[in-house]
Amino acid sequence: MMTLEPVLTPHGLLTLRQTAQAPALEPNQGLRLEKAFLRGSGHGLLWLGADEVATVLPPVLSYWRALGMRYMTALCALPGVGDGRTKPPVPIPADGELDTMAAAVPPMTGAEYLTTSVLANLWQGMDAAFDAELVQAKLSLQEFLKSRHPAWNLVGRVHFNLAENRKDDEAPFAFLATYTTRLSAEPRPSICRLAKPCRSIPVRGTANACSRC
């Protein structure tokens, strides 16, 4: 069993260190995380958010995984993201959202250094890490997302389902449009009905959005 804990440096870098204080991780899980963070904070956070979505983690690692999953969700919702091999930059969340996340940091070494600027820099580090790993993988964007976790290939997509309408004899069937907004904690795609277009959540490849999420 490995015992690893995140450490935030005064310069805003997130690293891992072995310690007897942290909850133990499975050996393979610990090795995966160490390998990712050795490449840099962005690669480590990307691994947490993209690949460790279904694993049990200690509270501090879970906190940083939430940032990684927030990035992945924003990436999947980018308009115009299709089957190409590149993507545009993923916009940094608004300051209000970063303020909330900075205020919610659990007790950890270096928590006093966490600010909205540090979170923004870590976000940009994830974006650069994703671009580098996408090039290295030599896959399309959709194939790459699926390789990290199959559910990521569904987030940000509109699905058309044939639904039975028993109350209408003249039109016994109807199409039901749904939109996958994010991954839940299980993780499973979180789906809502697509009512009318709005601009709050962009749908991948279109300007539509979910109006009831």
Side-chain angles (χ1 to χ4, degrees), residues 12-25:
L13 299 177
L14 188 68
T15 63
L16 290 182
R17 74 176 182 188
Q18 293 200 23
T19 173
Q21 309 281 331
L25 300 171

Side-chain angles (χ1 to χ4, degrees), residues 26-199:
E26 293 295 330
N28 289 339
Q29 185 183 40
L31 289 172
R32 293 194 303 265
L33 286 173
E34 272 195 319
K35 183 178 179 181
F37 273 94
L38 282 174
R39 298 184 66 182
S41 303
H43 292 278
L45 285 167
L46 183 63
W47 182 271
L48 278 171
D51 299 81
E52 298 291 340
V53 293
T55 59
V56 177
L57 293 172
V60 180
L61 283 172
S62 295
Y63 170 84
W64 291 108
R65 174 172 60 186
L67 177 64
M69 291 183 68
R70 174 67 180 83
Y71 168 81
M72 289 294 296
T73 301
L75 185 157
C76 290
L78 284 175
V81 174
D83 293 321
R85 294 178 181 268
T86 60
K87 64 160 187 60
V90 180
I92 298 171
D95 286 345
E97 185 175 346
L98 294 181
D99 284 333
T100 299
M101 187 163 191
V105 63
M108 61 170 284
T109 303
E112 65 273 20
Y113 304 123
L114 187 61
T115 63
T116 56
S117 295
V118 168
L119 284 172
N121 288 336
L122 291 172
W123 183 281
Q124 291 176 320
M126 281 190 285
D127 204 34
F130 187 95
D131 290 340
E133 293 184 25
L134 179 60
V135 170
Q136 185 180 23
K138 298 180 180 179
L139 298 172
S140 71
L141 181 57
Q142 298 305 322
E143 290 170 336
F144 185 60
L145 288 172
K146 191 173 182 179
S147 73
R148 305 305 293 255
H149 192 285
W152 284 122
N153 196 41
L154 302 175
V155 176
R157 290 196 168 193
V158 173
H159 304 269
F160 292 94
N161 310 282
L162 186 62
E164 186 176 1
N165 185 10
R166 297 181 179 179
K167 297 182 179 180
D168 192 335
D169 293 333
E170 295 183 359
F173 295 97
F175 281 106
L176 175 66
T178 58
Y179 174 63
T180 308
T181 58
R182 58 184 174 81
L183 293 187
S184 63
E186 281 72 20
R188 295 177 182 174
S190 182
I191 298 172
C192 64
R193 292 180 61 182
L194 192 65
K196 60 182 180 180
C198 67
R199 296 181 181 178

